[in-house]
Amino acid sequence: MTQEVRVRFAPSPTGFLHIGGLRTALFNWFFARHCGGTFILRIEDTDRERSTEDSIQEILEGFRWLGLDWDELYRQTERQEIYVRYAERLLDEQKVYRCYCTPEELQEMRKRAEAEKRPPGYDGRCRDRKEPLALPFALRIKAPREGSTVIKDLLRGPVTFENSQLDDLIILRSDKTPTYNFAVVVDDVEMRVTHVIRGDDHLANTPRQDLIYRALGWEPPEFAHVSMILGTDKKRLSKRHGATSVQEYRHLGFLPEALINYLIRLGWSHGDQEIFSPAELKKLFGLDSVGTSPAIFDPEKLVWVNAQHMNRLSPQTLIPLLKPFVAEEGLKIPEEDENHLTRVIACLLERSRTLKELAHSIRYFYRSDFGYEEKGAKKFLTAETRPRLQKLRQKFLALTEFSPEAVHAAFQEIVQEEGIKLISVAQPARLAATGGTVSPPITEVLSLLGREETVNRLDRAISHIESGD
RNA sequence: GGCCCUAUCGUCUAGUGGCCUAGGACGCCGCCCUCUCAAGGCGGAAACACGGGUUCGACUCCCGUUGGGGCCA
């Protein structure tokens, strides 16, 4: 009795993959995977003016990066004859009719309606024309003028529209291209889509599509209209709110599973849980706990979610992910030294929220040509701290091993001997070793740098002090 | 403008008539830990848009107002 779930995501390849679009893709994909159903990717490229091959590739690339696979892939441009065939069938059945009205006439009609304060829809003047004319024509569907259409929405319950709001909409233009609503319905019918999960910007279109379903003699599928994502000003999310494409977030150093986690939590929840792996989502996601009110996109929380996911990863698995970001920093890390890099990552990881941050914070481990942060140097690289650095240097040279513990012991000795606080030698050392005042525990950092490099950096700092700032 | 959707802390949300003096999370503030920064721990400020009903009882149900979003132009 239970039929197989078939859902689709139908992007227009007129630009990059938008995170709002991704969110509805996610609802579809996880719903399909949860139910063991089929996920269809349908490229709606009928707008040849604005559709580009690059854009299609970027969408597919985005899906691959996110780990979202598809079971079937279609392009509407390859399906033109199907739409024409269905349209002709409807013409034969007299459910649609030829309309010869020119754009000028329609314009005129609209103006008059406006002047008379009537709804601006088509008045149906070609509806009862008996003989075909030798003129270009569009195909219009006969819409009911009375009664109402009830759309059953899985998330919102029944939504009622008055049919008086509908007019005889065009399904096929005079150039034989299908209109949006017609192509969508034909495709959904042909592809046996069982659940249409999409943005609620399509809700008001649904009665028109319902009309087409009925004309075609099909029961409409289940609908679930998901609310949209807004920017912080409660306006529709757009470029001026910052990054809006999946590609951008990838380059900003976000993990695919973090982006997925954050986006799907916008409008969906599972008790108090915040962090979900894709595998968990497959298990838990359901339409029953999807909300209906619009959500505001909060980049801050995305960053936090990303940090959570990053810290669930081992340093080893992070290495390949980090590669492009390390390259962007202009760093060269010796290939053979993976074990060392693993340790470096381990201590930097909990201080980084994105791959980009992590790659950036790694830099002083692999290059020593940094300058000193001005304020820090003024405070910690002074005549007073110079002898401490020198003493540190001596002690380091005397150590039998350069482990964090040994380095720490050396620091402690100085603290004892000088009667100072650890911070008054740790910070100067930090400046010397990293150029800044912030880093993982200095003993860890120095040990990772190695004795030779540490001594070199101490020397450089000492001569920096001697050169008189 | 007409129609449709929607309304719990600044934000994401839990809540499905009594469990709510409304819970969690991000962010913010304070304290602890501490060589810096994080992470972590503890604590704090912070919300049921408004007005009517329904009910013994409403955050929860109904109506309206207002705000926000969308579609059609």
Side-chain angles (χ1 to χ4, degrees):
Chain A
M1 188 64 213
T2 47
Q3 85 190 120
E4 190 212 0
V5 165
R6 292 175 61 85
V7 299
R8 45 61 161 193
F9 175 60
S12 301
T14 55
F16 47 72
L17 179 54
H18 191 272
I19 52 172
L22 172 59
R23 177 162 153 277
T24 79
L26 255 20
F27 283 127
N28 277 286
W29 194 85
F30 280 103
F31 179 66
R33 293 295 169 258
H34 177 78
C35 305
T38 301
F39 177 78
I40 298 166
L41 194 52
R42 185 170 74 219
I43 308 294
E44 304 206 328
D45 54 352
T46 47
D47 183 347
R48 294 182 194 246
E49 298 285 295
R50 303 196 305 140
S51 300
T52 66
E53 189 59 33
D54 278 359
S55 178
I56 294 176
Q57 289 314 316
E58 193 183 308
I59 291 167
L60 298 183
E61 179 51 31
F63 267 71
R64 283 188 208 105
W65 176 65
L66 289 153
L68 305 175
D69 54 352
W70 53 89
D71 304 305
E72 295 171 22
L73 176 70
Y74 302 93
R75 285 192 192 196
Q76 284 189 328
T77 41
E78 293 166 353
R79 305 170 54 78
Q80 291 308 307
E81 68 286 1
I82 298 174
Y83 309 123
V84 173
R85 205 171 70 222
Y86 273 86
E88 281 168 353
R89 197 189 103 193
L90 289 178
L91 185 61
D92 285 346
E93 293 170 0
Q94 298 186 356
K95 290 178 174 150
V96 301
Y97 60 90
R98 297 184 178 86
C99 169
Y100 303 91
C101 295
T102 61
E104 292 73 37
E105 284 177 88
L106 295 173
Q107 183 70 26
E108 189 65 24
M109 194 183 303
R110 208 170 295 135
K111 264 192 202 153
R112 200 160 342 115
E114 205 173 317
E116 293 168 23
K117 296 225 158 66
R118 287 184 291 110
Y122 182 67
D123 63 8
R125 60 178 63 171
C126 291
R127 203 195 255 223
D128 301 315
R129 193 184 298 276
K130 291 274 159 25
E131 260 100 278
L133 303 177
L135 288 171
F137 60 87
L139 254 27
R140 282 188 190 271
I141 193 161
K142 292 177 184 170
R145 292 266 116 126
E146 284 158 13
S148 55
T149 299
V150 178
I151 301 301
K152 277 175 285 177
D153 187 286
L154 254 22
L155 305 179
R156 301 163 200 262
V159 182
T160 306
F161 296 87
E162 293 304 318
N163 289 340
S164 56
Q165 298 297 317
L166 260 38
D167 64 353
D168 291 353
L169 61 282
I170 294 177
I171 60 162
L172 204 67
R173 301 187 188 93
S174 56
D175 64 359
K176 301 284 185 240
T177 60
T179 53
Y180 169 78
N181 283 317
F182 187 60
V184 165
V185 172
V186 168
D187 281 340
D188 285 340
V189 165
E190 277 265 308
M191 297 170 192
R192 306 186 331 274
V193 169
T194 57
H195 299 256
V196 171
I197 306 170
R198 68 201 344 177
D200 76 357
D201 48 340
H202 292 290
L203 181 54
N205 263 329
T206 311
R208 295 173 221 286
Q209 296 183 5
D210 181 86
L211 178 62
I212 298 170
Y213 275 105
R214 310 268 174 215
L216 254 16
W218 285 75
E219 273 299 303
E222 302 284 352
F223 291 105
H225 288 95
V226 179
S227 64
M228 316 206 67
I229 303 182
L230 274 27
T232 40
D233 54 359
K234 295 191 175 181
K235 301 287 181 220
R236 196 185 191 137
L237 196 62
S238 70
K239 284 232 182 80
R240 65 200 162 78
H241 296 106
T244 50
S245 78
V246 171
Q247 202 62 235
E248 283 174 281
Y249 284 95
R250 182 180 184 175
H251 288 139
L252 253 17
F254 287 89
L255 256 20
E257 59 267 39
L259 194 55
I260 288 172
N261 186 160
Y262 176 72
L263 251 20
I264 206 155
R265 266 288 281 110
L266 244 38
W268 173 83
S269 61
H270 180 71
D272 286 341
Q273 190 172 343
E274 296 285 349
I275 303 300
F276 301 86
S277 67
E280 263 179 305
L281 288 173
K282 278 192 207 177
K283 237 176 267 161
L284 298 173
F285 182 79
L287 256 18
D288 48 339
S289 31
V290 172
T292 48
S293 58
I296 291 169
F297 181 80
D298 178 10
E300 284 289 336
K301 188 154 182 179
L302 205 210
V303 166
W304 177 80
V305 170
N306 196 64
Q308 297 297 312
H309 280 275
M310 266 178 59
N311 276 281
R312 288 184 169 202
L313 261 30
S314 71
Q316 288 91 326
T317 55
L318 241 12
I319 290 176
L321 302 178
L322 218 44
K323 237 178 156 180
F325 297 95
V326 167
E328 222 170 82
E329 289 287 332
L331 294 175
K332 284 220 172 57
I333 297 177
E335 290 278 336
E336 69 278 7
D337 220 2
E338 203 164 271
N339 189 41
H340 181 260
L341 179 56
T342 301
R343 287 178 59 203
V344 170
I345 292 174
C347 72
L348 254 15
L349 185 51
E350 67 184 20
R351 294 170 172 76
S352 315
R353 301 177 303 170
T354 63
L355 293 173
K356 198 182 168 78
E357 277 185 19
L358 182 52
H360 184 69
S361 64
I362 226 167
R363 68 200 181 286
Y364 53 77
F365 280 100
Y366 295 97
R367 51 194 302 173
S368 51
D369 58 346
F370 50 79
Y372 300 110
E373 181 211 305
E374 205 176 323
K375 270 179 84 177
K378 216 168 169 184
K379 191 168 176 190
F380 295 114
L381 296 182
T382 64
E384 190 189 9
T385 61
R386 192 188 58 163
R388 294 172 196 159
L389 292 176
Q390 275 165 333
K391 206 163 185 178
L392 207 52
R393 181 186 191 281
Q394 291 316 116
K395 289 190 185 291
F396 286 165
L397 287 172
L399 292 176
T400 50
E401 53 155 6
F402 208 62
S403 66
E405 296 74 24
V407 171
H408 185 73
F411 271 99
Q412 283 305 334
E413 283 177 32
I414 293 179
V415 166
Q416 292 294 318
E417 291 165 16
E418 304 277 318
I420 54 174
K421 289 190 170 178
L422 182 54
I423 191 171
S424 2
V425 60
Q427 281 301 66
R430 195 176 329 265
L431 254 300
T434 71
T437 55
V438 172
S439 84
I442 191 62
T443 52
E444 192 75 36
V445 171
L446 296 185
S447 173
L448 280 167
L449 244 24
R451 189 199 319 254
E452 193 189 333
E453 183 61 24
T454 297
V455 169
N456 285 342
R457 292 188 184 190
L458 288 176
D459 285 342
R460 192 177 143 219
I462 290 165
S463 51
H464 174 83
I465 296 172
E466 283 164 355
S467 73
D469 298 337

